[in-house]
């Protein structure tokens, strides 16, 4: 549990973590060295690789190419069991606990086992909670589940705790890639205060202020994808 322990240690030492999400469907392999240079010079601590779809089955090659350009841990954030590759350092073993679609609660997980059982991939059980981010996101479309309303803080908190009590080692509050509304700091705070396991927050974070707001509210690890995809100089403001 090397990568998970590293997350726990960072929290103990009050260090905040930042993952850059690289979507195999969108990345251009030729420009990856330049992209990775920017990331390596920034405060990013992790690379997440994944997306709701991987149309061209590129995940494994993308992970290999990233590994060749960085020492940062590369963690899979799969949309589907077919995106699992041993080339990564760890896998967020996601269960979409905000939804009631058994496909994403247990079926995809069962389907992934033949690929996983003989690998050394570190598997991190993760409760994934989709929160309404103002627009219909790919997660919502692909998973065919409804996001949780940001007004329903009690239900969000209870869902997160149900995840922890079911043995999830991480809880991920997700507004969805490209969200116009991020997960509200009040929600992050409430969930963080209840949980004992680390809290990941992502979706729609496009400014340094939003990033700092998420940390201040209690996010242990923040995920940023779109802001960096759209503007590679985004991380110029987040240099080491
Ligand atoms: C999506 O939380 C991540 O799964 C990142 O979202 O692309 O909006 O940064 P963005």
């Amino acid at each position: 549990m090397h990568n998970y322990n590293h997350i726990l240690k960072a929290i103990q030492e009050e260090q905040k973590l930042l993952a850059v999400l690289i979507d195999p469907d969108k990345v251009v392999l030729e420009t990856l060295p330049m992209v990775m240079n920017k990331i390596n010079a920034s405060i990013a601590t992790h690379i997440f690789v994944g997306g709701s779809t991987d149309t061209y089955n590129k995940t494994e090659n993308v992970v290999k190419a990233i590994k060749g350009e960085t020492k940062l841990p590369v963690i899979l954030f799969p949309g589907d069991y077919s995106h699992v590759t041993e080339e990564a350092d760890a896998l967020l073993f996601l269960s979409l606990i905000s939804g009631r679609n058994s496909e994403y609660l247990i079926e995809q997980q069962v389907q992934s086992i033949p690929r996983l059982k003989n690998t050394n991939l570190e598997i991190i059980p993760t409760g994934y909670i989709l929160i309404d981010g103002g627009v219909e996101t790919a997660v919502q479309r692909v998973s065919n589940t409804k996001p949780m309303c940001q007004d329903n803080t009690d239900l969000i908190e209870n869902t997160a705790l149900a995840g922890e009590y079911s043995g999830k080692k991480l809880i991920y509050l997700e507004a969805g890639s490209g969200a116009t509304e991020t997960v509200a700091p009040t929600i992050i705070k409430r969930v963080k205060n209840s949980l004992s396991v680390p809290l990941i927050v992502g979706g729609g974070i496009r400014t340094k202020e939003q990033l700092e707001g998420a940390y201040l509210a209690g996010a242990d690890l923040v995920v940023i994808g779109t802001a960096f995809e759209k503007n590679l100089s985004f991380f110029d403001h987040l240099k080491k």
Side-chain angles (χ1 to χ4, degrees):
M1 289 302 276
H2 170 77
N3 285 281
Y4 184 66
N5 286 338
H6 171 247
I7 294 173
L8 293 181
K9 188 160 171 268
I11 294 170
Q12 256 172 17
E13 293 172 356
E14 294 183 11
Q15 188 204 345
K16 293 296 185 181
L17 302 169
L18 175 63
V20 183
L21 176 64
I22 297 186
D23 184 338
D25 251 4
K26 296 184 187 151
V27 76
V28 180
L29 280 179
E30 290 68 33
T31 59
L32 195 68
M34 188 264 292
V35 169
M36 293 311 301
N37 263 341
K38 295 248 179 206
I39 296 174
N40 288 333
S42 80
I43 58 169
T45 54
H46 292 80
I47 309 291
F48 281 5
V49 178
S52 298
T53 52
D54 177 9
T55 320
Y56 311 103
N57 288 320
K58 274 166 64 181
T59 303
E60 185 158 291
N61 285 339
V62 169
V63 169
K64 276 192 202 162
I66 293 171
K67 295 286 292 175
E69 301 288 341
T70 189
K71 293 198 169 78
L72 295 177
V74 178
I75 300 189
L76 291 175
F77 172 55
D80 186 288
Y81 75 90
S82 67
H83 306 165
V84 171
T85 164
E86 204 181 352
E87 298 295 327
D89 297 300
L91 163 72
L92 296 184
F93 197 66
L94 300 169
S95 187
L96 183 57
I97 58 175
S98 54
R100 298 295 177 268
N101 182 353
S102 58
E103 176 74 23
Y104 291 91
L105 280 165
I106 187 64
E107 180 59 26
Q108 286 284 329
Q109 292 77 354
V110 173
Q111 297 287 343
S112 71
I113 298 307
R115 283 167 184 254
L116 285 177
K117 65 181 175 194
N118 297 317
T119 71
N120 291 320
L121 203 54
E122 179 180 335
I123 296 165
I124 309 176
T126 303
Y128 190 52
I129 300 177
L130 184 60
I131 310 268
D132 188 354
V135 284
E136 195 197 51
T137 56
V139 189
Q140 187 181 343
R141 268 195 310 279
V142 170
S143 70
N144 199 16
T145 66
K146 282 207 190 102
M148 301 186 77
C149 175
Q150 299 229 15
D151 293 337
N152 210 338
T153 323
D154 286 345
L155 192 59
I156 295 172
E157 182 190 8
N158 293 348
T159 304
L161 267 181
E164 178 175 324
Y165 294 169
S166 318
K168 307 301 180 207
K169 296 223 159 120
L170 295 171
I171 295 295
Y172 190 144
L173 296 179
E174 169 73 279
S177 193
T180 50
E181 255 178 70
T182 60
V183 179
T186 46
I187 295 176
I188 299 174
K189 198 169 181 181
R190 178 84 175 270
V191 171
K192 178 63 188 171
N193 285 343
S194 301
L195 285 182
S196 313
V197 297
L199 180 61
I200 302 181
V201 175
I205 295 177
R206 291 163 208 269
T207 65
K208 197 176 174 188
E209 290 67 37
Q210 287 172 326
L211 173 66
E212 281 163 359
Y215 285 147
L216 201 65
D220 297 304
L221 188 154
V222 170
V223 187
I224 296 183
T226 307
F228 186 57
E229 262 167 33
K230 295 238 158 99
N231 172 16
L232 284 187
S233 42
F234 180 75
F235 276 172
D236 292 348
H237 310 290
L238 299 169
K239 288 226 171 89
K240 264 188 230 174

